[in-house]
Amino acid sequence: MTIDIIGAGIGGLTTAIALEKKGFNVRVFEQAETLKPLGAGIILANNAMQVFEHLGLRKAIEKEGNSISSMNITHPNLSPLSKIDLTFFEKKHLVKNIAIHRGQLQTILMNALEKTEVYLHHKTKDIVPLENGYQITFQNGKRIQSQLIIGADGIHSSIRTQLFHKSKTRQAKQVCWRGVTDFKLSTRYQHELNEAWNTSSRFGFVQIAENKVYWYALKSYNKDGIAPQFDDFKKNLSNYHPIIREIIGVTSTDQINTAEIADLAPINQWYKENVCLIGDAAHATTPNMGQGACQAIEDAYVLSECMEHFEANEAFQHFQQLRLSKAKKVVNTSWMIGKISHFSHPLLILLRNFMMKITASFNRKQTAYIFQIPSV
């Protein structure tokens, strides 16, 4: 039986690798004509790296990336508000958190596929149920017969839209800019993520390779509901630490990507007959916890384990039971963090900052929950 994966993002490729290692025949269909890596970095948290350890890819990822042992929320001047020490989890799970360029990760995943074919320029047009499976028609005119489908086609999933109950994307009314630049961080910052919270904006940065930094900046819509431009963000850098101004200053404009922040309002059904959704197609989240891709990677591993032990529909059912609650919690918590991190009222900011400083034990418990991968 061949399993067809729609979408060749990080979740789709990781699922293909995991299923291939279980002995399944897999095909991957991707709408893009070429797999151009987004000029941005990604943090592979402990749960994602546990999966890549199982798949035999940990060393390759560590070689191309940079280990992160601390995640810090700070004032604009980088004085600490909250810190999560990741060394505890490194010792517990025997893997590190790795920051890496998305392009490097994508290359590693593509090279790990031994038999699976990735078909580019295959954007799904429609899906028609048949007596024994489905017929998928692509916009390039090609058609395939499919027995099992995994929808890994993102927040605007065609698979979800056509086969599942109506779902809703939520606009956070925040704009995110991401960039990668050559920059030599001081030793102090080389193995930690720092995210500085300002008024209605924030800035994060992390080293992803030697003398290479990935950064991101977010700013809320203004009071009139108008989306900000990057120049709007740069006009209010005076109270940010000088290193932040330096990082932005040396970044080429063609290395900055702009995106509106949105998520998928949680849904309770990820599978239907022989079709299953994973990653952003099932539980797209805002980037405020660094778990979007990590949750898709966790999906890939758990789903492959379920597929090994159960028949398709039953496997999808077990997969949903194991993953739904956690993914939903990540989506809702990330949405909440996105809101409180952009407070503009001075009193709310004072209260938020006070709470951030006294919730260290809560942060440890929440991180432990997120990093724990369920057993099948």
Side-chain angles (χ1 to χ4, degrees), residues 1-18:
M1 181 177 289
T2 298
I3 300 173
D4 291 316
I5 299 175
I6 309 300
I10 292 172
L13 291 176
T14 306
T15 303
I17 295 166

Side-chain angles (χ1 to χ4, degrees), residues 298-325:
E298 190 171 322
D299 282 349
Y301 174 73
V302 175
L303 180 58
S304 69
E305 291 290 301
C306 290
M307 293 290 290
E308 183 182 36
H309 291 91
F310 306 100
E311 294 296 325
N313 191 265
E314 189 178 2
F316 294 162
Q317 181 182 1
H318 279 274
F319 166 70
Q320 179 176 290
Q321 289 174 346
L322 290 169
R323 292 285 299 124
L324 182 79
S325 176

Side-chain angles (χ1 to χ4, degrees), residues 281-294:
H283 47 75
T285 182
T286 52
N288 306 309
M289 295 175 67
Q291 276 290 313
C294 296

Side-chain angles (χ1 to χ4, degrees), residues 23-270:
F24 291 98
N25 296 318
V26 183
R27 297 182 295 188
V28 180
F29 297 91
E30 165 60 37
Q31 66 176 346
E33 295 186 20
T34 58
L35 288 179
K36 293 181 180 179
L38 179 68
I42 183 173
I43 296 175
L44 297 172
N46 197 289
N47 53 325
M49 290 304 296
Q50 289 177 59
V51 171
F52 287 131
E53 170 71 0
H54 284 296
L55 298 179
L57 299 176
R58 175 182 60 82
K59 291 183 179 179
I61 292 171
E62 288 180 346
K63 181 180 178 182
E64 297 296 333
N66 179 53
S67 62
I68 303 300
S69 294
S70 177
M71 297 174 66
N72 309 321
I73 303 298
T74 75
H75 292 280
N77 63 3
L78 296 184
S79 61
L81 274 173
S82 174
K83 176 178 179 177
I84 299 178
D85 182 358
L86 299 172
T87 56
F88 170 83
F89 300 102
E90 292 173 359
K91 295 173 183 177
K92 180 178 180 179
H93 298 295
L94 303 179
V95 294
K96 296 181 178 181
N97 298 261
I98 302 295
I100 188 172
H101 195 289
R102 278 182 176 266
Q104 293 287 357
L105 176 61
Q106 184 175 285
T107 298
I108 291 170
L109 297 179
M110 287 293 293
N111 290 340
L113 292 171
E114 298 179 1
K115 300 177 182 178
T116 300
E117 187 78 29
V118 178
Y119 298 88
L120 300 176
H121 190 39
H122 279 69
K123 181 177 176 64
T124 305
K125 182 179 180 181
D126 58 53
I127 305 170
V128 179
L130 302 175
E131 186 175 339
N132 185 27
Y134 301 84
Q135 177 178 274
I136 303 177
T137 302
F138 299 99
Q139 289 190 0
N140 61 13
K142 296 183 180 179
R143 295 177 178 176
I144 63 168
Q145 304 291 314
S146 183
Q147 296 170 298
L148 284 173
I149 299 173
I150 295 174
D153 50 344
I155 187 172
H156 302 295
S157 169
S158 176
I159 304 298
R160 187 186 70 243
T161 300
Q162 294 191 49
L163 296 180
F164 291 78
H165 293 300
K166 187 176 180 180
S167 53
K168 178 184 177 182
T169 55
R170 302 185 295 189
Q171 301 299 319
K173 296 186 177 181
Q174 297 172 5
V175 177
C176 179
W177 300 276
R178 297 179 174 93
V180 173
T181 189
D182 294 327
F183 191 87
K184 184 175 177 61
L185 286 175
S186 66
T187 304
R188 172 185 175 183
Y189 298 119
Q190 286 179 2
H191 295 285
E192 59 184 38
L193 166 70
N194 284 283
E195 182 173 301
W197 288 8
N198 204 348
T199 303
S200 300
S201 70
R202 53 198 153 123
F203 185 94
F205 65 94
V206 65
Q207 181 169 308
I208 57 174
E210 187 174 1
N211 297 331
K212 194 170 287 291
V213 168
Y214 161 57
W215 61 264
Y216 55 90
L218 296 97
K219 185 171 178 60
S220 298
Y221 282 26
N222 67 22
K223 293 180 180 179
D224 296 322
I226 299 173
Q229 302 298 312
F230 191 50
D231 285 344
D232 297 325
F233 180 85
K234 291 193 292 184
K235 288 176 183 176
N236 296 286
L237 294 178
S238 59
N239 61 339
Y240 275 113
H241 192 283
I243 194 174
I244 292 174
R245 299 196 293 271
E246 290 176 34
I247 290 171
I248 292 175
V250 299
T251 305
S252 173
T253 54
D254 63 1
Q255 291 296 312
I256 300 176
N257 295 278
T258 304
E260 293 277 348
I261 297 301
D263 73 0
L264 179 68
I267 59 177
N268 294 316
Q269 190 68 29
W270 292 358

